[in-house]
Amino acid sequence: KGNHDDGYLLKILERKNVLRRPPIANIDQALLVFSRKEPDFSTILLDKFLLLIEHYYIRPIIVISKMDIEGDDSIYQYIQEYRNAGYTVIETSSKQNKGIDEIKEIFKDQVTVITGQSGVGKSTLLNALDISLNLERHVELMNLYDGYVADTPGFSSLELEMEPIEAARAYHDFDEYATDCKCRGCLHDSEPHCAVKEAVDERKISKERYKHYLTMLKELKEKKEKRYD
């Protein structure tokens, strides 16, 4: 009827993943925005994001913002460790326009969510990407650089809602070794002949990331025990 806002539902496609908080489905990748400083870079929070994102079969892309701010040089060691683990890490500075073009290129043909803790410069990054967003407390998919992008303000509360065995297979780099674990359903905790623990001992997996995993595994085990009490 000449109204371009009208549309027709032609087909309901199967969901490959869905998040409840924020409510969005069929996500291809997630930009996990963390700052070098203000707030300080947090590896345990990043590892929690990674566990959740990979559990939903979403490809994580780590974005380190505020790289123009002077800070602890250990950030470069962390960046290399995550790259060694197989993650894409993009260093950005909205003030210097660093890394912005690299981010634009990865949007093509993808559904991307952008998330991260409060204060990391996510809004500044979005503005640097030339997005005119009304940053309300809702999720909106926007067509950008031949893909679809959603800002996800509701992702600040991270609840791990998965079984312990799902956590054990969530990290892609852990899972590469997990196929060689001798115990069926190995949680990479106290089980003997665990290939993941062997990889940690051989420094193929970061000891710090493994400790973070054990912390989150304990949390999930306790949640499971409470459900059955």
Side-chain angles (χ1 to χ4, degrees), residues 98-165:
K98 178 181 179 180
I100 303 303
D101 288 338
E102 190 176 352
I103 291 176
K104 290 177 181 179
E105 290 175 3
I106 65 176
F107 287 150
K108 184 177 175 62
D109 300 325
Q110 301 290 301
V111 175
T112 307
V113 294
I114 302 177
T115 189
Q117 69 181 125
S118 178
V120 295
K122 194 156 60 79
S123 297
T124 305
L125 177 63
L126 289 168
N127 290 332
L129 291 166
D130 299 323
I131 302 175
S132 298
L133 277 178
N134 179 21
L135 296 177
E136 303 288 347
R137 305 300 294 179
H138 66 273
V139 178
E140 181 180 357
L141 272 176
M142 303 192 70
N143 186 251
L144 185 71
Y145 303 108
D146 299 318
Y148 288 93
V149 181
D151 177 42
T152 57
F155 228 136
S156 58
S157 177
L158 282 178
E159 287 293 329
L160 294 177
E161 298 176 348
M162 65 187 79
E163 294 296 319
I165 188 60

Side-chain angles (χ1 to χ4, degrees), residues 32 46-54 60 82 87 171:
L32 307 181
L46 174 54
D47 286 336
K48 194 170 186 179
F49 267 95
L50 289 171
L51 189 70
L52 182 64
I53 289 297
E54 294 200 89
Y82 282 101
Y87 294 103
Y171 287 136

Side-chain angles (χ1 to χ4, degrees), residues 79-90:
I79 288 171
Q80 192 56 52
E81 285 179 357
Y82 282 101
R83 284 175 175 160
N84 289 343
Y87 294 103
T88 298
V89 183
I90 301 175

Side-chain angles (χ1 to χ4, degrees), residues 50-66:
L50 289 171
L51 189 70
L52 182 64
I53 289 297
E54 294 200 89
H55 169 62
Y56 286 111
Y57 301 101
I58 299 169
R59 184 168 74 96
I61 298 168
I62 302 168
V63 176
I64 311 296
S65 65
K66 304 183 184 180

